[in-house]
Amino acid sequence: MALAVRPRFRFEPYVEFGKKAIAREATYRFEVFTSIGSFVLRMYLLRMVWVALYAHNAAPRGLPLHAILTYSAVALLMGLVLDIDQVSSLYDKLHDGSIVSDFMRPILVPLYFFADGTGEVLFHAALVLPALALALLIVHIDVPSATTLATFALSFVLGYFVGFCINFILNCVAFWTLEINAVQLIVTFLTDLLGGELVPLIFFPLAFQHVLFALPFAAMFSTPLLIYVGEIGPDRYASALGIQAAWLVGLAIVCVVLWRAGSRRIVVQGG
Amino acid sequence: MRAVYGQHWRINLLTALEYRENFLLWSAFTVVYHGTAIATLWVVLHTFPSMNGWDFKDMAFLYGLWMLAHAIHDTVFFGVANVPEYIRDGEFDRLLVRPLDTLFAVIAIPGQIFPDELILALGYFVVATVYSGVRVDAIFVLCVPLVVLGGTLIELAINLIVATIAFWFVRVDALRWIVLQLEQEFTRYPIGIYSRGVRLFLTFVFPFAFMNYFPATYFLHKSEGALGLPPVVGLLTPAVGLIFFGAAYVFWRFGLNRYKGVGH
C-alpha cells in the first residue's frame, strides 16, 4: 500500500535487474573456483609472513599475532566483496554502444547500474561462507563483542558504498576516454596498499598515516578492519564513521556531476 | 628469421607510438605495480626489521633479481601466454603452416609490447644492487646475466607448459592465472618462511626459488639456505633454467604433434 502512493517510481524492476545479475554471475563457475583458490593461497601466504615476522621481532603495540592474523583474514574476506568492479557493465556498454538502448528504457539508468552491481556483489558475497570455512582451517579468527561487530558491519556497509562510488567514477571516465583498464588497475593496486588491505595502515611511518587516514581508500578497508580488531575503540567510533560518511557524500556528489556531464556528451563509435 | 623478428619489434614500437596515451597509462601501471610491491616490503620491514634474518636491503635485492628475469620474459616471450587464445579462435592453425618454427612464430607475433618494464627493471636492479651493498666483483658481473637469463627460462618454461596443456583443454585461464599468482607471491619473500613441503615444491617442482631466492642467498652471503643446501647452488640457476625449459619444450613438441585443432 505504501508503495502505491508513489505513482511514477517503481522499485520492482530494479530488484529484477539485481536477480538477473546474480543469475549471470552464477554462469561463470570457473571464476568462483579461481577466487576461492586465490583466497586460500593468499591466506596461507599471509599466515606464513606474519608468523615469520612476529617470531623474529618485537610485536608492535596493540596488535599481537592473533590480532594481525584476524585482521588479514577479515581483510581477505572483505576483499571478496569489495574488490569487485560492480559498475564494469557501464564501461562495457559505453564500449560497444549498447548504452544507447538503456537511455531509451523507462528506467533511471544509474539506478539500473546500482541494482545490477548489487546483484553481482550479492552473488560473490555468498562465497564468503565457504571462504570463511577454509580460512578457519588456516588461521584462528578472533570474534569481538556484539557492539564492535555491529559497528564493524555499519562501517563495512559505508566502505562498500565508498567503493561503489569510486568504481562508478572510474567507469564514468569512459564517457570521455573510452579506455579505462590501465587507470582501473592503477587504482586497484593503490587501494590494496593505501587502503590497508595488505598491511594495516598503523604500520606505516607516522607522517604517512596522517595522509593515508584522510584518503577515501582508508574508508573502504582500513576503518572497518581497525574497528574489528579494536584498534579503533568505542570512543572513536563516531569520528571514524563520520569520516567514512563524509567521503561517501563527497564521492556521491562527484558521481552525480560526472554522470550528468557524461550522459550529455555520449559518443557511440559506429555500430 | 632475424628479419622477421626485426619487423616484430618495428611493429611493436610503432603501435606504442600510435596509441600514445594508452601506452603511457600502461607504463604508469607498470610503475605502480612494482612500486606498490616494493613499498609493501618497505612498510612491513619498517615495523619488523627482520624476516628470518633478511632486512629491507636484502629484500630489495631479492625483488630486483626476480623483476629483471620477469621483465625480460614479459618483453620477449609474452606471446606464449596468448597461445590458448590463438587455439580457441583458430588463429593457431595459421601459425602451423608457416615455414618457421611454430614457437618462434608465436613469439614473433607483434602485440603492443614496449620494453618499458625492462628499462624500469634494469634501472631498479642497479639501484637495488648499490643500495643492498652487494659486492660487485668479477663473479657478480659474470654470473648475474646468466642467473637472470636462467630465471627468464624458468618463467618461460612454466608458461610453455600451461600453453601446451591448452592443446588438450582449450580453456586454461584458471590454471594460468593460478600459476602466475604462485610465481608472483612465492618469489617475494625468502622461502625459509614456508613449510618444508612448500620449500621442496618451489625448489624441485616449480623451481621459482631459483629465479631469485637461491642466487640472492649466494650474492648476499646468507648462511641460511632453505633445505640445508649450500648458498652456491644459487649459481646453478642457468642450468636449472635450461633443464626446465628443455623439459617444457619436449612437452610442447609432444603436444604440438598431437594437436588436431578445435574444429574451425
Side-chain angles (χ1 to χ4, degrees):
Chain A
M1 278 297 121
L3 273 174
V5 185
R6 290 181 178 174
R8 289 180 59 208
F9 179 78
R10 285 177 62 230
F11 194 66
E12 296 82 1
Y14 301 97
V15 176
E16 283 307 312
F17 291 139
K19 282 187 191 160
K20 279 255 154 54
I22 294 179
R24 183 188 66 222
E25 289 304 306
T27 56
Y28 297 112
R29 244 165 277 156
F30 105 91
E31 274 189 30
V32 172
F33 172 65
T34 47
S35 58
I36 295 270
S38 153
F39 173 86
V40 171
L41 177 68
R42 294 204 286 167
M43 191 71 257
Y44 168 79
L45 203 85
L46 281 169
R47 194 192 93 164
M48 290 312 191
V49 168
W50 290 127
V51 166
L53 288 172
Y54 274 75
H56 289 82
N57 302 278
R61 176 195 55 84
L63 270 190
L65 182 59
H66 68 89
I68 190 73
L69 290 178
T70 298
Y71 183 102
S72 293
V74 177
L76 286 178
L77 288 167
M78 284 169 65
L80 287 176
V81 175
L82 291 179
D83 286 341
I84 298 165
D85 175 13
Q86 67 282 74
V87 202
S88 59
S89 51
L90 172 57
Y91 165 78
D92 295 338
K93 281 163 177 281
L94 281 169
H95 222 235
D96 64 17
S98 60
I99 185 97
V100 174
S101 62
D102 289 312
F103 276 111
M104 289 189 263
R105 291 151 91 191
I107 53 169
L108 291 168
V109 183
L111 199 57
Y112 157 73
F113 285 114
F114 181 74
D116 184 81
T118 308
E120 188 177 341
V121 163
L122 282 178
F123 173 75
H124 286 267
L127 297 183
V128 168
L129 279 180
L132 176 64
L134 289 168
L136 286 173
L137 296 176
I138 303 171
V139 291
H140 173 84
I141 302 177
D142 297 341
V143 181
S145 72
T147 327
T148 307
L149 264 183
T151 317
F152 163 77
L154 184 60
S155 175
F156 172 75
V157 171
L158 284 171
Y160 170 76
F161 285 118
V162 169
F164 177 85
C165 287
I166 291 176
N167 285 332
F168 192 86
I169 290 168
L170 284 175
N171 281 287
C172 272
V173 171
F175 276 118
W176 286 269
T177 63
L178 284 177
E179 270 310 327
I180 56 161
N181 294 346
V183 179
Q184 230 171 354
L185 277 170
I186 289 173
V187 174
T188 305
F189 275 78
L190 287 178
T191 312
D192 282 355
L193 177 64
L194 306 180
E197 187 181 1
L198 299 172
V199 182
L201 296 184
I202 50 172
F203 286 175
F204 281 71
L206 267 178
F208 286 79
Q209 287 188 31
H210 293 306
V211 181
L212 292 176
F213 280 120
L215 293 177
F217 307 119
M220 271 179 81
F221 277 99
S222 182
T223 309
L225 283 165
L226 291 180
I227 288 174
Y228 191 99
V229 296
E231 190 64 27
I232 294 180
D235 52 320
R236 283 166 59 209
Y237 283 171
S239 65
L241 295 173
I243 293 173
Q244 280 186 297
W247 269 117
L248 178 55
V249 172
L251 290 171
I253 291 171
V254 177
C255 286
V256 172
V257 171
L258 276 181
W259 175 261
R260 292 222 171 125
S263 52
R264 234 179 283 131
R265 67 177 297 288
I266 216 163
V267 177
V268 175
Q269 294 189 325
Chain B
M1 219 156 147
R2 206 187 296 158
V4 172
Y5 198 62
Q7 283 299 318
H8 158 77
W9 273 107
R10 207 178 74 89
I11 298 171
N12 275 338
L13 300 185
L14 286 175
T15 319
L17 285 174
E18 183 68 33
Y19 299 99
R20 217 166 298 146
E21 288 87 4
N22 210 32
F23 160 70
L24 285 176
L25 280 174
W26 279 109
S27 296
F29 168 67
T30 307
V31 173
V32 169
Y33 172 84
H34 292 293
T36 49
I38 295 160
T40 305
L41 289 175
W42 180 73
V43 172
V44 169
L45 290 151
H46 157 85
T47 312
F48 305 87
S50 152
M51 182 183 233
N52 274 23
W54 292 57
D55 60 13
F56 176 65
K57 288 179 174 182
D58 301 334
M59 306 277 271
F61 182 74
L62 182 75
Y63 191 87
L65 265 182
W66 172 77
M67 185 177 174
L68 204 48
H70 174 73
I72 294 177
H73 174 270
D74 275 8
T75 310
V76 183
F77 301 115
F78 193 76
V80 175
N82 292 330
V83 166
E85 199 186 315
Y86 296 148
I87 292 176
R88 215 178 308 149
D89 48 57
E91 181 87 356
F92 193 75
D93 304 8
R94 276 177 50 202
L95 302 179
L96 289 173
V97 294
R98 291 203 182 153
L100 295 169
D101 176 69
T102 311
L103 184 57
F104 173 77
V106 165
I107 291 163
I109 292 177
Q112 287 186 29
I113 310 158
F114 190 82
D116 53 335
E117 191 179 20
L118 187 54
I119 294 165
L120 185 71
L122 276 170
Y124 174 79
F125 186 75
V126 171
V127 172
T129 303
V130 174
Y131 175 68
S132 64
V134 174
R135 211 178 72 212
V136 182
D137 50 15
I139 298 181
F140 183 89
V141 174
L142 212 68
C143 291
V144 161
L146 291 174
V147 161
V148 168
L149 289 177
T152 305
L153 283 179
I154 291 173
E155 192 169 336
L156 174 62
I158 302 248
N159 274 308
L160 194 57
I161 291 170
V162 174
T164 305
I165 290 172
F167 288 136
W168 288 278
F169 305 94
V170 180
R171 267 201 168 269
V172 290
D173 308 57
L175 179 69
R176 191 172 112 71
W177 189 84
I178 286 172
V179 167
L180 262 177
Q181 222 184 12
L182 280 174
E183 182 207 317
Q184 182 194 296
E185 304 281 359
F186 283 113
T187 47
R188 202 148 290 181
Y189 306 104
I191 67 165
I193 67 168
Y194 305 118
S195 60
R196 198 178 152 76
V198 173
R199 275 183 268 167
L200 285 169
F201 180 82
L202 295 173
T203 307
F204 297 110
V205 184
F206 280 179
F208 295 137
F210 281 98
M211 285 183 82
N212 62 350
Y213 172 75
F214 286 123
T217 46
Y218 176 78
F219 292 125
L220 294 167
H221 299 287
K222 294 280 170 198
S223 54
E224 155 234 24
L227 301 167
L229 298 169
V232 76
V233 298
L235 297 182
L236 291 178
T237 298
V240 173
L242 277 174
I243 294 168
F244 197 44
F245 175 71
Y249 189 73
V250 169
F251 181 50
W252 161 262
R253 296 295 309 184
F254 175 79
L256 205 56
N257 287 331
R258 268 153 197 76
Y259 172 67
K260 293 194 185 71
V262 288
H264 277 277

